Amino acid sequence: DSSEIDQSKLASFIKARMGLIKACYENALKRNPNLKGKIAIRFTILETGGLADVEAVANSMGSADVATCIMATMRSWRTQFKPSGPVTVEYPFVFSPVQ
């Protein structure tokens, strides 16, 4: 939680990229149609706006493949934020199949 990172802007940034995150889930869903759960990702926003130390800190889905895919996707992101020092954030992604 940082005054330098606007929570609503961060949420908008992530939501704008949810197609990439959903693709990780949907690929795994083809192999397991009942797959659902939450994956919490902790990451650090660097002074450059890039992300570092991207890791899954909770995974109730039980799919390491989805978590690994999300982490790999997020590592390439660059945010509009330029904090004066690294800021660590935890963001939950909740997935369930569309019926």
Side-chain angles (χ1 to χ4, degrees), residues 17-47:
R17 290 154 183 79
M18 274 305 287
L20 299 166
I21 300 297
K22 284 183 180 168
C24 292
Y25 172 64
E26 287 166 1
N27 286 337
L29 200 57
K30 292 173 189 166
R31 294 186 298 277
N32 179 356
N34 298 316
L35 195 63
K36 64 182 177 182
K38 179 171 107 174
I39 297 176
I41 303 290
R42 183 180 299 139
F43 56 95
T44 300
I45 301 173
L46 302 173
E47 296 91 331

Side-chain angles (χ1 to χ4, degrees), residues 7-19:
Q7 295 296 317
S8 63
K9 286 183 180 166
L10 179 61
S12 294
F13 173 84
I14 292 173
K15 283 189 176 85
R17 290 154 183 79
M18 274 305 287

Side-chain angles (χ1 to χ4, degrees), residues 49-67:
L51 302 187
D53 303 324
V54 181
E55 63 176 321
V57 292
N59 184 349
S60 68
M61 185 180 295
S63 172
D65 290 347
V66 176

